């Protein structure tokens, strides 16, 4: 196999990006846990459900969005259900699946967590970018995230 090794500029860019992928989530996750007791996955589930009509979404669709297996999300959802953050309902379109539903307590927890999370996102990330850099980041992130598997 012929390997197209990275140029010096490519290697530096890749290593800087890898460092960002390590440091930024660690800092955001630390703040999220400290400020709300939520994990990043908890926050993703709660915030996604809060944006959906009737605060409901099929487990299979949320698992796809999170790039998790249905099994992994089902186990995580069961833990969140035990904490009263979400409920599960049968999915009439998918006998093996369920519909996840944000509870009033889950919405309250998210509502309390969101302002702290936004402060953290700004402090660790957004406030360090110019409007032009933000536009480039959005364009690049969307292009790369939307690549087919």
């Amino acid at each position: 196999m012929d390997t197209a090794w990275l140029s010096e500029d490519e290697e530096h860019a890749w290593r800087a990006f890898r460092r960002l992928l390590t440091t930024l989530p660690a800092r955001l996750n630390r703040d999220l846990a400290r400020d709300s007791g939520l994990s990043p996955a908890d926050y993703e589930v709660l915030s996604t459900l809060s944006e959906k009509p009737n605060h409901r979404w099929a487990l299979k669709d949320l698992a796809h969005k999170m790039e998790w297996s249905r099994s992994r999300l089902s186990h995580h959802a069961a833990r969140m259900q035990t904490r009263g953050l979400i409920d599960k309902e049968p999915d009439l379109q998918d006998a093996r699946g369920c519909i996840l539903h944000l509870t009033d307590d889950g919405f309250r927890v998210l509502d309390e967590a969101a302002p702290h999370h936004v402060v953290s996102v700004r402090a660790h990330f957004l406030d360090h970018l110019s409007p032009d850099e933000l536009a480039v980041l959005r364009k690049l992130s969307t292009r790369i995230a939307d690549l087919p598997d």
Side-chain angles (χ1 to χ4, degrees):
M1 170 167 91
D2 286 334
T3 302
W5 294 106
L6 303 182
S7 69
E8 186 175 341
D9 285 344
E10 289 170 332
E11 183 174 349
H12 288 299
W14 177 243
R15 288 180 184 271
F17 182 69
R18 295 258 333 250
R19 180 164 160 65
L20 177 65
L21 288 177
T22 300
T23 59
L24 182 61
R27 292 169 183 166
L28 294 173
N29 298 349
R30 179 193 64 226
D31 289 356
L32 187 62
R34 178 196 66 217
D35 297 335
S36 67
L38 295 174
S39 71
D42 292 339
Y43 193 86
E44 179 74 13
V45 170
L46 294 175
S47 64
T48 301
L49 290 176
S50 76
E51 297 166 0
K52 291 294 180 184
N54 300 317
H55 301 159
R56 289 170 165 73
W57 207 13
L59 180 136
K60 67 180 180 213
D61 297 328
L62 183 55
H64 178 74
K65 178 190 181 291
M66 294 178 71
E67 299 207 11
W68 281 19
S69 70
R70 289 169 62 151
S71 175
R72 180 179 179 190
L73 181 55
S74 181
H75 288 292
H76 189 82
R79 291 188 296 274
M80 291 180 73
Q81 185 177 24
T82 300
R83 293 162 46 209
L85 301 174
I86 63 171
D87 276 329
K88 293 180 183 178
E89 304 166 4
D91 185 346
L92 301 177
Q93 307 297 320
D94 180 4
R96 297 182 325 142
C98 64
I99 303 294
L100 301 178
H101 172 241
L102 182 63
T103 65
D104 290 342
D105 280 346
F107 194 85
R108 180 190 50 75
V109 167
L110 176 64
D111 198 44
E112 292 171 1
H116 298 286
H117 186 57
V118 169
V119 167
S120 178
V121 168
R122 286 193 176 285
H124 295 299
F125 189 62
L126 295 175
D127 289 349
H128 306 282
L129 300 173
S130 71
D132 288 343
E133 290 169 330
L134 193 60
V136 169
L137 177 67
R138 179 180 180 179
K139 183 178 178 180
L140 292 173
S141 297
T142 301
R143 181 187 329 151
I144 293 169
D146 290 347
L147 288 172
D149 283 339

